[in-house]
Amino acid sequence: QVQLVESGGGLVQAGGSLRLSCAASGRTFSSYAMGWFRQAPGKEREAVAAISWSGGNTYYADSVKGRFTISRDNAKNTVYLIMNSLKPEDTAVYHCAAAMTLTPSQIKVQRADFGSWGQGTQVTVSS
């Protein structure tokens, strides 16, 4: 298991930007595919973005394509989510998660594939 701690959330106006960070400790970070999920009140947790070990493969939910960017720095054991052009509907608690994978290029997007989760960071976008 890897331990994950998110930071960078906050209150921002619509159209603004935030950068979320997720610091990992424990097992070898570079062996894990990573994902960002979000959960709004009354809604299920949904995948927002994901990235492979190598960083070469990424996934984005349709709702955030062109606005969010996921990246990772394996030397710093950190994964990032840069969020631009934020909308009120982006308001949610954002969680990062880690999934063990067999190859550097594999990504995961299903909740059940992720074995380690952070506590989450609140993002609130005002209109």
Side-chain angles (χ1 to χ4, degrees):
Q1 295 290 332
V2 61
Q3 289 76 47
L4 304 172
V5 178
E6 303 96 336
S7 62
L11 173 64
V12 64
Q13 288 188 333
S17 299
L18 284 173
R19 186 182 80 160
L20 305 183
S21 299
C22 173
S25 60
R27 301 288 295 272
T28 306
F29 176 70
S30 59
S31 299
Y32 289 82
M34 301 297 293
W36 283 99
F37 290 73
R38 67 186 180 187
Q39 187 165 17
K43 295 187 176 181
E44 291 192 359
R45 193 172 295 188
E46 63 175 353
V48 173
I51 190 166
S52 60
W53 280 11
S54 65
N57 284 344
T58 56
Y59 158 85
Y60 296 96
D62 288 343
S63 59
V64 306
K65 279 181 182 176
R67 300 188 299 123
F68 290 11
T69 302
I70 188 171
S71 63
R72 67 189 294 162
D73 185 338
N74 288 341
K76 295 183 178 179
N77 289 357
T78 303
V79 63
Y80 304 97
L81 185 69
I82 297 174
M83 306 185 294
N84 295 321
S85 302
L86 283 162
K87 304 175 181 180
E89 50 263 44
D90 295 318
T91 295
V93 176
Y94 284 71
H95 299 265
C96 70
M100 295 190 72
T101 55
L102 298 178
T103 68
S105 61
Q106 191 176 13
I107 60 172
K108 300 285 189 178
V109 296
Q110 300 298 321
R111 285 179 56 184
D113 290 328
F114 289 83
S116 298
W117 292 82
Q119 291 298 308
T121 185
Q122 176 71 47
V123 171
T124 303
V125 184
S126 63
S127 58

